[in-house]
């Protein structure tokens, strides 16, 4: 049961360029989406979120885009930095957050200097 | 910046033994969660806890599991009789629960449980 899918297990990007991480979901009832970053031996760190009433949310170098009709969201990192190298998880929830998060499998981003 | 803390960072136990994983959520948060990640798999929800009772639980959270908030700061996950397949990273999370708005869950660093 893969309600949240991240189809790219890994991505390599040159420093300074844009990183685009993608996520698809199947449950149209999801109304809140989050991106977490995870370093080895650490817990997921919250990056950015978006509510289903919006199609874009921006925070510094990070922008999340939501396309509800396609059930697709993406995380853009511009410019990418070596410190951004980590595993990025997409997560979704019902009822705006205080319900179980459903995670994707993650995408490992490597930013090459 | 406030953060969720978890102890121990690594717990090794024998199959059939009881383990207690401990978490200190962010102090003004009201919702608490346990998730786990088996090596190579997704992060999976186990249980959520609000107002001193379980709010939701997954199929994984069977009778071998229990949660407790024994005092004003700690939140614990107990596994009564561990099995080999309980080996995983266990993450605690908390969220503030703000009525009428979206809430973000903040995660601790995790406890690696190894069952031998």
């Amino acid at each position: 049961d893969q309600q949240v899918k991240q189809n790219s297990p890994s991505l390599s990007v040159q420093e300074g360029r844009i990183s685009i991480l993608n996520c698809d979901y199947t449950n149209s009832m999801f109304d809140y989406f989050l991106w977490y970053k995870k370093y080895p031996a650490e817990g997921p760190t919250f990056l950015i979120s978006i509510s289903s009433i919006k199609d874009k949310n921006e925070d510094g170098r990070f922008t999340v885009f939501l396309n509800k009709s396609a059930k697709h969201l993406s995380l853009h990192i511009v410019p990418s930095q070596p410190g951004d190298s980590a595993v990025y998880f997409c997560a979704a929830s019902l009822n705006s957050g205080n319900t179980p998060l459903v995670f994707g499998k993650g995408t490992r981003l490597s930013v090459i200097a | 910046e406030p953060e969720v803390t978890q102890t121990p960072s690594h717990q090794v136990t024998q199959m059939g033994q009881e383990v207690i994983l401990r978490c200190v959520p962010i102090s003004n948060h009201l919702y608490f969660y346990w998730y786990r990640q088996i090596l190579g798999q997704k992060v999976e929800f186990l249980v959520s806890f609000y107002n001193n009772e379980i709010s939701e639980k997954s199929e994984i959270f069977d009778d071998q599991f229990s949660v407790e908030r024994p005092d004003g700061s700690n939140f614990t996950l107990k596994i009564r009789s561990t099995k080999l397949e309980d080996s995983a990273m266990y993450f605690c999370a908390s969220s503030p629960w703000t009525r009428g708005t979206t809430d973000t869950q903040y995660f601790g660093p995790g406890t690696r449980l190894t069952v031998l």
Side-chain angles (χ1 to χ4, degrees):
Chain A
D1 177 15
Q2 288 202 65
Q3 294 190 71
V4 177
K5 300 179 200 178
Q6 293 177 258
N7 291 320
S8 298
S10 63
L11 174 68
S12 284
V13 171
Q14 287 282 339
E15 181 181 6
R17 307 294 287 266
I18 184 171
S19 295
I20 300 176
L21 298 101
N22 293 304
C23 178
D24 297 294
Y25 62 95
T26 55
N27 187 344
S28 57
M29 299 300 291
F30 286 141
D31 63 357
Y32 189 50
F33 304 89
L34 308 93
W35 285 94
Y36 287 86
K37 179 167 84 169
K38 187 179 180 303
Y39 294 116
E42 294 185 13
T45 301
F46 170 70
L47 261 182
I48 192 168
S49 62
I50 188 165
S51 166
S52 60
I53 62 173
K54 294 186 173 182
D55 55 18
K56 177 182 173 181
N57 189 26
E58 196 170 349
D59 183 2
R61 296 186 297 115
F62 303 92
T63 303
V64 56
F65 295 92
L66 175 63
N67 181 335
K68 287 189 291 294
S69 60
K71 297 192 183 71
H72 176 83
L73 62 154
S74 60
L75 174 68
H76 292 210
I77 306 173
V78 182
S80 302
Q81 300 172 353
D84 296 330
S85 297
V87 178
Y88 288 78
F89 292 100
C90 170
S93 75
L94 308 170
N95 299 326
S96 301
N98 286 315
T99 56
L101 294 178
V102 179
F103 282 84
K105 281 191 167 182
T107 296
R108 181 177 302 280
L109 173 66
S110 300
V111 179
I112 304 159
Chain B
E1 185 173 324
E3 57 184 21
V4 177
T5 59
Q6 290 184 244
T7 54
S9 57
H10 191 188
Q11 174 90 48
V12 181
T13 190
Q14 294 290 328
M15 190 169 56
Q17 295 296 303
E18 174 183 286
V19 294
I20 298 176
L21 309 183
R22 291 182 166 79
C23 168
V24 179
I26 294 172
S27 63
N28 62 345
H29 284 189
L30 300 177
Y31 251 99
F32 315 117
Y33 313 82
W34 285 100
Y35 291 80
R36 77 173 186 190
Q37 185 180 27
I38 294 172
L39 189 64
Q41 297 187 22
K42 293 185 180 185
V43 177
E44 304 172 285
F45 168 75
L46 292 178
V47 65
S48 60
F49 192 85
Y50 172 73
N51 201 26
N52 283 319
E53 59 183 27
I54 289 174
S55 178
E56 290 187 66
K57 59 183 181 178
S58 72
E59 293 174 351
I60 303 167
F61 194 88
D62 61 21
D63 292 344
Q64 291 300 312
F65 291 88
S66 62
V67 288
E68 194 178 32
R69 188 151 164 82
D71 53 42
S73 59
N74 289 284
F75 179 52
T76 62
L77 174 70
K78 183 194 290 187
I79 309 174
R80 262 178 272 281
S81 178
T82 50
K83 304 189 280 283
L84 294 176
E85 53 265 37
D86 293 328
S87 295
M89 280 291 287
Y90 286 81
F91 295 108
C92 175
S94 68
S95 62
W97 193 77
T98 311
R99 187 183 289 278
T101 186
T102 54
D103 266 337
T104 297
Q105 296 178 29
Y106 295 91
F107 284 76
T111 292
R112 178 170 298 284
L113 177 65
T114 302
V115 183
L116 302 175

